[in-house]
Amino acid sequence: MHIFREPKVTLLARQEYLGAPDINWESDSDVPGQSLAEFAGRLCYLSFGPDAGFEGGHKLISGRTGNKQYLDNILNVKHGSVLEHAVWTFLFEGVSRALTHELVRHRHLSYSQLSQRYVDESDVGFVLPPEIEEGSPAFEVWRRSCERSLEDYRTLLAQIEEQVEDEPSATLRRKRARQTARSLLPNAAETKIVVTGNARAWRHFLEMRGSASAEAEIRALSLKLLAVLNGEAPHLFGDYRVVRQENGTAVIETEFGGV
Ligand SMILES: Cc1cc2nc3c(=O)[nH]c(=O)nc-3n(C[C@H](O)[C@H](O)[C@H](O)COP(=O)(O)OP(=O)(O)OC[C@H]3O[C@@H](n4cnc5c(N)ncnc54)[C@H](O)[C@@H]3O)c2cc1C
């Protein structure tokens, strides 16, 4: 039985920023998501500076000429819609169906997840909940239960395949068997999911799922995700701190929450 011990986070895609050829303005950030969010914010007041090439409302507000200062102010005044232009796509692997059940509650993210109706799960792995110590009695209970469910899955799959053998479509035959057998798989069954989100949606996710009250596995995912997003766009995610609590739990905190 394959056991997954931590989530794997892979950055699949980021944006390209092309700029507007007719507007004479450049961001001092070379991060596309950051430049784009700044451009979008500046467009609201046409605050690209006097040389931008159009009439009226063109002043630069002093102290907000750079990308970092500009986006700091956006976070501070909670002008969050500007952040929606910056987008990243991730592949999450080694996560449980329990985790993705919580993940997909976030309605501003977009998802494509491995189908248990289409894919044969006879060799599916299981995600070890962080609270369970390997080798402990609790681990033995967990491992035995996962093994048993996998065995029962394979048995039921074979029985339903036999039951629906008159079904003329091979695809439907497989689906009917797999969709029935999967009912025996536990929340710990491993899954894979592609998730696309804008900076505002990712920030909300990090705040909810990186908090002290969040479930341990999804909090671990949030910490990994934050490390990548912070590396990608420090002006959009650099306000987050990872704080270790007295009980050793690492949680995500910021003074610019709820943007
Ligand atoms: C610690 C913890 C425990 C939880 N426990 C439970 C539980 O026991 N049972 C349960 O069912 N869920 C539970 N949840 C899930 C929670 O209720 C939310 O569904 C989930 O966190 C998604 O966040 P969100 O509702 O803020 O919405 P998101 O979909 O992430 O949207 C972000 C924001 O957009 C706005 N928004 C989105 N959709 C709408 C809308 N239709 N109308 C108005 N505003 C909208 C809201 O401001 C929202 O905060 C829990 C979450 C956490 C973090």
Side-chain angles (χ1 to χ4, degrees), residues 9-50:
V9 171
T10 305
L11 177 63
L12 283 180
R14 63 169 74 91
Q15 284 168 307
E16 188 175 0
Y17 170 68
L18 303 174
D22 297 336
I23 299 178
N24 185 29
W25 172 84
E26 272 183 27
S27 173
D28 66 1
S29 168
D30 55 9
V31 175
Q34 292 182 168
S35 309
L36 181 56
E38 182 183 358
F39 180 93
R42 289 193 182 281
L43 185 87
C44 299
Y45 301 154
L46 292 184
S47 59
F48 294 105

Side-chain angles (χ1 to χ4, degrees), residues 27-224:
S27 173
D28 66 1
S29 168
D30 55 9
V31 175
Q34 292 182 168
S35 309
L36 181 56
E38 182 183 358
F39 180 93
R42 289 193 182 281
L43 185 87
C44 299
Y45 301 154
L46 292 184
S47 59
F48 294 105
D51 304 323
F54 40 53
E55 299 293 314
H58 50 238
K59 67 181 188 305
L60 285 171
I61 296 166
S62 66
R64 281 187 232 150
T65 52
N67 182 269
K68 172 150 175 47
Q69 300 98 312
Y70 193 85
L71 294 179
D72 274 354
N73 184 61
I74 292 284
L75 294 177
N76 194 28
V77 299
K78 302 192 188 297
H79 192 177
S81 61
V82 164
L83 310 182
E84 293 170 16
H85 299 288
V87 174
W88 285 268
T89 300
F90 289 90
L91 167 64
F92 299 150
E93 297 167 279
V95 294
S96 67
R97 293 280 294 196
L99 182 147
T100 57
H101 189 78
E102 294 191 348
L103 170 63
V104 301
R105 293 293 299 275
H106 291 275
R107 290 160 282 186
H108 301 296
L109 300 172
S110 308
Y111 309 98
S112 299
Q113 181 167 16
L114 179 155
S115 167
Q116 286 186 328
R117 294 182 70 209
Y118 200 84
V119 174
D120 181 356
E121 293 280 75
S122 293
D123 290 315
V124 71
F126 298 91
V127 177
L128 183 65
E131 309 278 7
I132 297 182
E133 219 173 280
E134 251 169 291
S136 68
F139 176 74
E140 284 314 309
V141 171
W142 178 84
R143 190 182 54 78
R144 245 197 347 265
S145 177
C146 291
E147 274 174 0
R148 201 178 306 133
S149 73
L150 195 53
E151 209 180 297
D152 288 345
Y153 171 90
R154 291 170 182 153
T155 306
L156 187 59
L157 186 68
Q159 285 170 346
I160 305 293
E161 272 169 357
E162 220 178 290
Q163 185 185 303
V164 297
E165 67 184 355
D166 292 342
E167 166 64 58
S169 154
T171 305
L172 261 187
R173 231 174 17 247
R174 282 196 296 270
K175 265 192 180 171
R176 285 174 65 183
R178 289 169 190 174
Q179 74 193 11
T180 306
R182 74 165 171 178
S183 65
L184 298 179
L185 293 176
N187 269 332
E190 191 257 353
T191 185
K192 302 175 199 306
I193 189 164
V194 171
V195 190
T196 297
N198 62 55
R200 190 184 204 179
W202 282 127
R203 284 183 63 91
H204 182 70
F205 176 82
L206 291 172
E207 287 163 30
M208 302 291 286
R209 303 303 181 173
S211 76
S213 49
E215 191 269 341
E217 186 195 353
I218 203 165
R219 193 171 54 239
L221 176 80
S222 304
L223 290 167
K224 284 199 164 185

